Amino acid sequence: MTKAHGYAKSGVPLYLLLDPWHSGRPTAALYGEPEHGTYRVLDMVEYGGKLTLPAPFDLEIDTGSFPVR
């Protein structure tokens, strides 16, 4: 069982994955709406973009300052 699957199965509402090695371009992906142990992709941006977390957070994250490996 992967972490994301375990979190989704437990009902954790959001899962944020920061991946500096994603297909040669660093990305930040927000997953949500867990159902049957699976998340849906809510938003994905390359580092440098802005990612918005929904309520109850209502927060915009500027990924431009995230380190790239």
Side-chain angles (χ1 to χ4, degrees):
M1 178 183 322
T2 66
K3 272 192 222 183
H5 175 74
Y7 292 153
K9 200 164 176 76
S10 298
V12 175
L14 296 174
Y15 182 75
L16 179 61
L17 178 63
L18 305 176
D19 188 352
W21 299 284
H22 181 81
S23 300
R25 56 187 177 92
T27 59
L30 179 64
Y31 299 89
E33 301 176 10
E35 188 172 311
H36 307 294
T38 304
Y39 282 111
R40 186 171 84 80
V41 177
L42 301 179
D43 197 7
M44 181 182 283
V45 298
E46 287 187 46
Y47 282 17
K50 294 185 188 305
L51 188 72
T52 303
L53 301 182
F57 302 101
D58 292 322
L59 176 70
E60 186 175 81
I61 299 173
D62 180 359
T63 65
S65 62
F66 289 3
V68 179
R69 295 212 180 241

